[in-house]
Amino acid sequence: MQNSNKTFYSALFGVILALGLMASSFILGQQFKNLRQSGVITVKGLAEAEYKASYGTWTVSVENWGADYKTAMTENARQLEVARAFLAKQGFSAQEVSLNPLDVYVHTETYTDEKGKEKTVRNGYDARRTLSIASKDLAKLQRALDEINNLRAENQAVNFSSPSYYLENLETIKRELISKATQDAYVRAQEFAKTSNINVGVLRSASQGSFDISANLPDAESQSDYGGGYDTSTIDKKVRLVVTIQYDIN
């Protein structure tokens, strides 16, 4: 009886194994058939180029405190003239400098009372006004950045940001890189074709991938794998564009 059971289970296992192999063969056959029917090859093309920023922006602000609203406004106006005189001395024209609205708000201070509880009290007003600078003279921007540290040392009301540097004619740059990336994709497709003894046919579809502008530095990280980025901290930039191309094959 025991031998009969062993024979039965062995036969059942053999049937299941045979069915599994048949199913696997069918699936692989269908996949191979679909691959042959598709008749396409999909490749990515890459193009890189170095560019220099053509214009920059910069912000300089004056911030001050006043015991009352009017005092804060008056002192801010005085400090603003100091900042404007500095920018004029650096060679910035009226067209390169724009003035943003004045912002005056209640100044609050936090302290801990004798019971250890934090409390907030009003103490006068803070006033803030920002000057926005936009210029194509990047050397002038950099000189002004060096000089404003001296003004900051003499005048605590003056604050400033680091300049941001941008490329103009981005669409022209994109078109140039798309052309180069498409050529690169075709070369890659040809290399794949050689190893498979097939021929690359006409272009079936094309799409632009990431468009990345990074600092042109040895250790600069590209953000292309994450959808592209735009570094504005440096004048020298590396622009990278990726395309995905699909070709017929035969």
Side-chain angles (χ1 to χ4, degrees), residues 74-110:
T74 302
E75 178 61 16
N76 188 268
R78 188 184 72 81
Q79 298 287 0
L80 180 64
E81 289 309 310
V82 173
R84 296 179 85 162
F86 166 80
L87 293 174
K89 185 178 179 181
Q90 298 303 313
F92 292 105
S93 66
Q95 290 72 31
E96 292 176 306
V97 181
S98 59
L99 182 62
N100 296 311
L102 173 66
D103 185 19
V104 182
Y105 47 94
V106 174
H107 178 86
T108 59
E109 296 178 351
T110 302

Side-chain angles (χ1 to χ4, degrees), residues 98-129:
S98 59
L99 182 62
N100 296 311
L102 173 66
D103 185 19
V104 182
Y105 47 94
V106 174
H107 178 86
T108 59
E109 296 178 351
T110 302
Y111 71 97
T112 303
D113 65 14
E114 63 277 3
K115 295 181 180 180
K117 294 183 178 180
E118 283 194 353
K119 291 190 175 182
T120 301
V121 295
R122 296 174 54 161
N123 182 17
Y125 291 84
D126 290 315
R128 185 175 189 271
R129 203 155 197 186

